[in-house]
Amino acid sequence: MANIGKQTIKFKKNISILETASIVGPKEGDGPLKNYFDIVLEDIMAGENTWEKAESIIVRKSLELATKKAKLAMTDIDYIIAGDLLNQNTGSTFGIRDLHRPFIGIFSACSAMGLSMGLGATFLESNFAKNVLASSSSHFCAAEKQFRFPLELGSQRPPTSTTTVTGCGVALLSNDNSDLPKIKAITTGKIVDMGITDPFNMGAAMAPAALDTIITHFNDLNIEPDYYDLIITGDLGHIGSEIILTLSKKEGYLLKNYKDCGILIYDKDTQDTHSGGSGCACAGTTFAGYLYKKMIEKEIKKLLFVPTGALLSPLSVLQKESIPGIAHAVAIEI
Amino acid sequence: MANIGKQTIKFKKNISILETASIVGPKEGDGPLKNYFDIVLEDIMAGENTWEKAESIIVRKSLELATKKAKLAMTDIDYIIAGDLLNQNTGSTFGIRDLHRPFIGIFSACSAMGLSMGLGATFLESNFAKNVLASSSSHFCAAEKQFRFPLELGSQRPPTSTTTVTGCGVALLSNDNSDLPKIKAITTGKIVDMGITDPFNMGAAMAPAALDTIITHFNDLNIEPDYYDLIITGDLGHIGSEIILTLSKKEGYLLKNYKDCGILIYDKDTQDTHSGGSGCACAGTTFAGYLYKKMIEKEIKKLLFVPTGALLSPLSVLQKESIPGIAHAVAIEI
């Protein structure tokens, strides 16, 4: 069942991704993936009066939508596993507060979707649960306010910076013998910190962690990069993606089949998002919206999904700490 | 192996608590449990120049100490599961950064020790790991600065408020056939929010969630309160403990064998901590220091350990949200 002493858990059971749900903001709804999301909000406030409450309502509606699409009731859900970027997991906590299900709160920055799906899969493999909702969310305005500058300042951002995706991605995991995409293995990441201190260049901070997890995954399972149709990181963006491709060559790996959710979700030429998309919802909604549907259509049959996280806080930056990176890999096949 | 559709997972394997480690600050070292902690710091800064860095070094030293006490190397540890109170899990992240082990970051406010031990136990039950470090930490000064007022202001606090414990508690979980304390079952909590909005009265906000988890635990396992030698909550404090005893009577449960870590860790009469102790380290260090040793001495043979969390953020308070409570139960027997 497990690979003791290695970082990778290979699953024996049929751990299906029964359904997904994705809700995004207006900017993501203008991007190249717009037709893949379940709901595109016209109003980034989602009808609420604060950005944080907007994120929470997006979380709740996404969790409810995934459950409804699977023709299940919320009481059929054994656990909700959710994480976001806000202080004290505000987005997730207040989103799931009224759903009355056992709650596992995680924090793994923008790699949250990898950790929530990974933990959910372990619960299903072990028969600890029948249905698990795995979720990650972020909100552009709430994240800017918390991590960068007040939006009202209209601060310029350097070209290395990324744009936090507004939205929530949910995967409903279930033991199921259908022909749906299955989680085959997970590789839980270690922190890798190469000394990057610029919080406007998180792609550079996360790329070594992503590569560490990906290479560990190959080694643990004794497979080559071309085993997968697609290896996709969460939010390295244009700059971080160049770095991981350079680093991987140095390590002797040719990642021909590599992409990044942060590059796919926005149009580089027309959407002015600098280095691309980021935030917990970047990997979350790209998976729940685009990638899952491409797997159902069998355009992608073997996917290595690697959400990436920069474990900084505004305070750690002020205290001149470098940025610890982490990445969690989820191997999915149909 | 599992109880599908219920909140409680009952373990079949021997999931031992192989070792614990506890490091606390000077105030906790003056309290009634002082002789049970591994290390009492003379300096609340732990030799660092910021409170947050102090918390991180306490985390790292506690994780290393538990590993060393068990005569293991850090490379023998398969996963570190850790949570704290600081924004973006700063205490845990920067504490484990240099340990190079797969990292599962959690956020469950002061109930972190219940969730980290619970998840660790599931990994051992399923053979996904051989050794797991479960940790929770907090730091009085860092928490005051973040959640309340700058310490320099010398603000008065109301009698309902609690005092954040400085320290870190670690449990090293392992599959082992020895006579050490075993984790027998866990009950993962649901959020319960009864509409309390006063962030200086977290005991009241958390008590209903603690009771919900405790009663669910009894029902899922079909046992009575007197099954346990001790049922202990994390940090309800004097006021929250009175509330849970009143509420439990209304529900028809007589919790004769009930205590609270937040009451045990400080001396009510001499230490001026108002309603008692709180913070992730309150349950963490009381378990790792006092309770574990009382179990080894067989003064406590059956323990229901129920860390409690108030899932508020400073922002949610400003936005006039009520305080969601949660509690995770870990049943331990020797």
Side-chain angles (χ1 to χ4, degrees), chain B residues 43-74:
Chain B
D43 168 19
I44 199 167
M45 300 299 287
E48 298 291 322
N49 61 359
T50 74
W51 299 322
E52 295 78 15
K53 289 183 183 181
E55 181 170 337
S56 289
I57 197 75
I58 292 170
V59 170
R60 199 182 86 197
K61 285 188 184 296
S62 301
L63 292 165
E64 288 173 339
L65 181 60
T67 308
K68 190 181 165 191
K69 283 171 75 179
K71 299 187 174 58
L72 294 174
M74 194 50 73

Side-chain angles (χ1 to χ4, degrees), chain B residues 235-271:
Chain B
D235 57 351
L236 297 185
H238 294 283
I239 289 167
S241 293
E242 277 179 39
I243 294 172
I244 196 173
L245 287 173
T246 305
L247 290 176
S248 61
K249 260 185 218 164
K250 277 194 190 168
E251 298 288 332
Y253 291 89
L254 197 61
L255 302 182
K256 275 188 300 189
N257 41 1
Y258 168 78
K259 289 185 180 173
D260 181 70
C261 299
I263 293 178
L264 295 186
I265 199 163
Y266 296 124
D267 186 298
K268 187 181 179 11
D269 298 323
T270 63
Q271 289 199 289

Side-chain angles (χ1 to χ4, degrees), chain A residues 177-225:
Chain A
N177 295 317
S178 65
D179 190 28
L180 291 164
K182 303 276 180 284
I183 297 181
K184 292 291 193 182
I186 59 167
T187 304
T188 304
K190 294 193 295 260
I191 289 179
V192 177
D193 187 333
M194 301 296 280
I196 300 282
T197 53
D198 178 3
F200 288 102
N201 192 357
M202 293 193 294
M206 295 186 289
L211 187 62
D212 185 81
T213 298
I214 291 169
I215 291 179
T216 301
H217 181 83
F218 294 156
N219 290 341
D220 282 356
L221 296 179
N222 197 23
I223 54 177
E224 300 289 327

Side-chain angles (χ1 to χ4, degrees), chain B residues 102 142 292:
Chain B
Y292 182 73

Side-chain angles (χ1 to χ4, degrees), chain A residues 67-125:
Chain A
T67 309
K68 191 180 164 192
K69 283 171 75 179
K71 298 187 174 58
L72 293 174
M74 194 50 73
T75 48
D76 294 321
I77 304 299
D78 300 308
Y79 295 91
I80 299 175
I81 308 175
D84 61 82
L85 283 174
L86 296 183
N87 296 343
Q88 288 77 48
N89 253 8
T90 300
S92 306
T93 297
F94 288 88
I96 75 114
R97 173 171 58 172
D98 297 324
L99 300 180
H100 304 297
R101 306 312 305 150
F103 175 43
I104 297 171
I106 56 161
F107 181 77
S108 201
C110 308
S111 66
M113 197 67 181
L115 190 55
S116 64
M117 288 174 69
L119 285 176
T122 69
F123 270 57
L124 291 171
E125 172 79 359

Side-chain angles (χ1 to χ4, degrees), chain A residues 205-263:
Chain A
M206 295 186 289
L211 187 62
D212 185 81
T213 298
I214 291 169
I215 291 179
T216 301
H217 181 83
F218 294 156
N219 290 341
D220 282 356
L221 296 179
N222 197 23
I223 54 177
E224 300 289 327
D226 61 7
Y227 178 84
Y228 291 105
D229 301 325
L230 177 63
I231 297 167
I232 189 161
T233 47
D235 56 351
L236 298 186
H238 294 283
I239 289 167
S241 293
E242 277 179 39
I243 294 172
I244 196 173
L245 288 173
T246 305
L247 291 176
S248 62
K249 260 186 218 162
K250 277 194 189 167
E251 298 287 332
Y253 291 89
L254 196 62
L255 302 182
K256 275 189 301 190
N257 42 2
Y258 168 78
K259 289 185 181 173
D260 181 70
C261 298
I263 293 179

